[in-house]
């Protein structure tokens, strides 16, 4: 199969058009899952796929499947895709690149009047980011058999709105039972969101696996009291306790270089008043490592350390594990298909393990799966300054197109 190429200008134009939806003042995008902006991003994607002759279906968790027919309808589809929801101050390319490069694959196959043996599908997974509704990657998790549908549909955001209600409100509660949908293989193109490829001056990352992570919610309860008359030594200050624990979370990541990670990204202080000692603090923990045994040890040691710290600070503590995404290795034949496409196209490449979680981790539970990375500027992501160049988007899409063609025949 000759090395088919995508239309770089058309791909870039679609990325910039999507970037207008939920555009933020410093160049990023904010399209939180299941908000009106999420719908405003989904609707044009569905329209663009229908304009390419695809049939579009939506499942009960809002996952979208755009299907381009193949010569042999009995074959399972070769699929690709990613997510359109973003972090609150997200970039233009996290997730979106994988979705719109999939659309560009459909458009390029149509331009070349290629009829593949197997159908080709482009998917959008609902709520990959998990910042409004926990867990992250919840809908691909249901698709991959990690969660029952109601476990995700019943989750509520900080305003008490449920996933299921919001999914219906934006019109994407589909008829198809989530998971009743088989793929022959699944590929996800994504920006690396880290510094490795750029530092190594590689154009493509052949992703062999994804590191694991565990998310916890922590609630600390001390005692509201007056900031003036209350002596320092008698306070039960939940903010002080939280500050000590943030240090322990960061230390947990630093204690296992180079892959260990520890982050506190969200904190809610109650009653959140300048002159009242905080009696209650809610915060999140995100710990990561590529080795499952090390990840388990990190998490166990950290939970013990923060419970000891709570005691020393005379506050009550409640910890809840909200996500456990185990480290995985991708399917060797899918990794090989990506490798052969990259080598045929002549791109500088290297094998990498993903530091970020992706829907592909959940899909790899039910279909042979692998990922393709391209670098992003300074490895920065989950930041409005997330940036790639048009030719980098083209490179990733060319690898995706040829890996899909290899399998779809
Ligand atoms: O948290 C992650 O790794 C992904 O961005 N949801
Ligand atoms: Mn992503
Ligand atoms: Mn992300």
């Amino acid at each position: 199969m000759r090395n088919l190429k995508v239309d770089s200008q058309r791909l870039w134009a679609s990325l910039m058009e999507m970037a207008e939806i939920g555009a933020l003042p410093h160049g990023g995008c904010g399209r939180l899952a299941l908000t009106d902006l999420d719908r405003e991003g989904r609707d044009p994607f569905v329209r663009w796929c229908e304009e390419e002759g695809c049939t579009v279906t939506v499942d009960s968790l809002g996952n979208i499947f755009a299907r381009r027919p193949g010569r042999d309808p009995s074959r399972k589809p070769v699929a690709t895709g990613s997510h359109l929801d973003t972090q609150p101050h997200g970039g233009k390319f996290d997730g979106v690149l994988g979705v719109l490069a999939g659309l560009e694959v459909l458009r390029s196959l149509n331009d070349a009047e290629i009829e593949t043996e197997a159908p080709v599908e482009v998917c959008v997974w609902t709520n990959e980011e998990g910042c409004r509704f926990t867990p992250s990657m919840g809908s691909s998790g249901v698709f991959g058999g990690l969660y029952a549908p109601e476990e995700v549909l019943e989750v509520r955001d900080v305003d008490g709105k449920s996933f299921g209600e919001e999914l219906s409100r934006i019109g994407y509660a589909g008829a198809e039972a989530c998971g009743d949908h088989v793929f022959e293989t699944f590929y996800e193109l994504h920006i690396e969101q880290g510094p490795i490829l750029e530092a190594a001056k590689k154009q493509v990352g052949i992703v062999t696996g994804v590191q694991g992570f565990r998310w916890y919610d922590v609630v600390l309860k001390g005692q509201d009291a007056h900031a003036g008359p209350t002596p320092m030594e008698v306070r039960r200050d939940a903010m002080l306790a939280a500050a000590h624990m943030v240090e322990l979370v960061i230390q947990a990541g630093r204690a296992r270089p180079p892959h260990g990670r520890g982050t506190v990204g969200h904190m809610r202080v109650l009653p959140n008043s300048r002159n009242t000692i905080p009696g209650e603090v809610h915060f999140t923990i995100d710990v990561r490592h590529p080795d499952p045994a090390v990840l388990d040890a990190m998490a166990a040691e950290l939970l013990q350390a923060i419970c000891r710290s709570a005691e020393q600070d005379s506050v009550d503590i409640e910890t809840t594990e909200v996500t456990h995404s185990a480290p995985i290795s991708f399917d060797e034949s899918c990794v090989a298909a990506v490798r052969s496409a990259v080598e045929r196209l002549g791109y500088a490449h290297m094998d990498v393990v993903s530091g970020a979680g992706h829907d592909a981790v959940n899909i790899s539970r039910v279909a042979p799966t692998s990922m393709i990375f391209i670098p992003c500027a300074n490895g920065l992501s989950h930041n409005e300054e997330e940036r790639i160049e048009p030719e980098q988007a083209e490179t990733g899409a060319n690898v995706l197109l040829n890996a899909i063609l290899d399998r779809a025949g």
Side-chain angles (χ1 to χ4, degrees):
M1 175 66 65
R2 58 194 165 83
N3 288 340
L4 201 61
K5 298 284 178 73
V6 298
D7 179 328
S8 181
Q9 271 80 12
R10 181 174 57 193
L11 170 57
W12 193 253
S14 62
L15 286 164
M16 291 306 108
E17 192 167 346
M18 184 61 72
E20 286 307 306
I21 301 167
L24 296 172
H26 301 296
C29 289
R31 288 193 305 275
L32 282 187
L34 306 184
T35 58
D36 290 339
L37 285 171
D38 188 9
R39 176 177 45 72
E40 286 178 40
R42 289 163 162 252
D43 289 351
F45 170 74
V46 169
R47 193 173 61 250
W48 293 336
C49 291
E50 287 171 340
E51 287 163 3
E52 293 306 316
C54 293
T55 48
V56 176
T57 54
V58 180
D59 74 13
S60 55
L61 270 284
N63 299 314
I64 302 170
F65 305 93
R67 184 186 185 101
R68 181 180 191 267
R71 225 189 326 275
D72 178 356
S74 71
R75 284 274 301 268
K76 292 186 277 189
V78 174
T80 186
S82 191
H83 60 94
L84 289 175
D85 67 295
T86 72
Q87 287 284 324
H89 295 170
K92 299 186 181 76
F93 306 104
D94 174 0
V96 179
L97 173 68
V99 172
L100 296 183
L103 170 66
E104 179 52 34
V105 165
L106 300 178
R107 288 171 164 169
S108 300
L109 291 174
N110 284 345
D111 285 353
E113 294 175 354
I114 288 175
E115 192 186 19
T116 53
E117 273 304 311
V120 173
E121 284 195 1
V122 182
C123 319
V124 174
W125 303 110
T126 307
N127 185 38
E128 188 279 340
E129 292 294 356
C131 28
R132 181 183 177 201
F133 296 102
T134 302
S136 67
M137 296 167 267
S139 291
S140 61
V142 174
F143 186 90
L146 201 60
Y147 310 113
E150 55 280 359
E151 281 182 85
V152 172
L153 293 169
E154 288 165 11
V155 169
R156 293 189 181 279
D157 67 6
V158 286
D159 301 323
K161 291 182 182 162
S162 86
F163 187 108
E165 289 156 8
E166 287 292 277
L167 185 65
S168 301
R169 187 183 64 80
I170 68 165
Y172 277 91
E176 181 180 291
C178 182
D180 282 356
H181 198 116
V182 283
F183 294 146
E184 201 258 0
T185 46
F186 179 75
Y187 297 98
E188 181 169 1
L189 168 65
H190 207 286
I191 54 173
E192 178 203 335
Q193 301 178 297
I196 296 169
L197 293 176
E198 187 177 61
K201 298 193 181 357
K202 302 297 182 187
Q203 294 167 288
V204 177
I206 298 173
V207 190
T208 56
V210 181
Q211 76 172 336
F213 63 85
R214 286 177 179 265
W215 283 7
Y216 297 89
D217 284 346
V218 180
V219 178
L220 303 179
K221 291 203 173 144
Q223 185 182 49
D224 289 4
H226 198 306
T230 314
M232 294 309 284
E233 64 278 7
V234 301
R235 296 178 176 206
R236 294 182 58 218
D237 184 342
M239 177 67 96
L240 175 67
H244 289 150
M245 292 177 196
V246 169
E247 183 79 39
L248 291 171
V249 174
I250 306 309
Q251 195 46 41
R254 287 182 175 154
R256 286 180 171 78
H259 300 297
R261 303 282 186 270
T263 310
V264 174
H266 170 86
M267 187 172 282
R268 202 149 56 94
V269 179
L270 300 171
N272 212 21
S273 156
R274 181 188 307 272
N275 50 358
T276 296
I277 301 161
E280 189 170 329
V281 170
H282 299 233
F283 69 88
T284 59
I285 293 178
D286 176 327
V287 285
R288 307 198 184 202
H289 200 279
D291 178 321
V294 175
L295 177 61
D296 291 350
M298 275 173 83
E301 287 161 21
L302 177 58
L303 290 178
Q304 276 172 2
I306 62 175
C307 287
R308 272 197 309 276
S309 182
E311 221 169 298
Q312 285 156 10
D313 289 329
S314 320
V315 298
D316 300 327
I317 180 169
E318 186 192 329
T319 61
T320 315
E321 179 171 88
V322 290
T323 304
H324 174 205
S325 182
I328 61 116
S329 297
F330 283 130
D331 173 83
E332 283 177 13
S333 73
C334 287
V335 172
V338 170
R339 192 184 308 282
S340 96
V342 171
E343 286 169 351
R344 282 204 320 271
L345 289 160
Y347 293 132
H349 59 278
M350 64 186 281
D351 288 10
V352 287
V353 172
S354 173
H358 297 285
D359 293 306
V361 172
N362 292 334
I363 309 310
S364 72
R365 296 163 60 93
V366 291
T369 298
S370 76
M371 290 187 76
I372 304 159
F373 273 178
I374 59 160
C376 54
N378 311 308
L380 196 59
S381 182
H382 285 196
N383 182 305
E384 288 199 54
E385 292 175 23
E386 183 184 274
R387 184 167 47 83
I388 63 172
E389 299 305 324
E391 52 276 5
Q392 290 175 311
E394 178 194 2
T395 297
N398 283 337
V399 174
L400 181 66
L401 171 59
N402 285 277
I404 287 172
L405 267 176
D406 275 1
R407 298 297 289 239

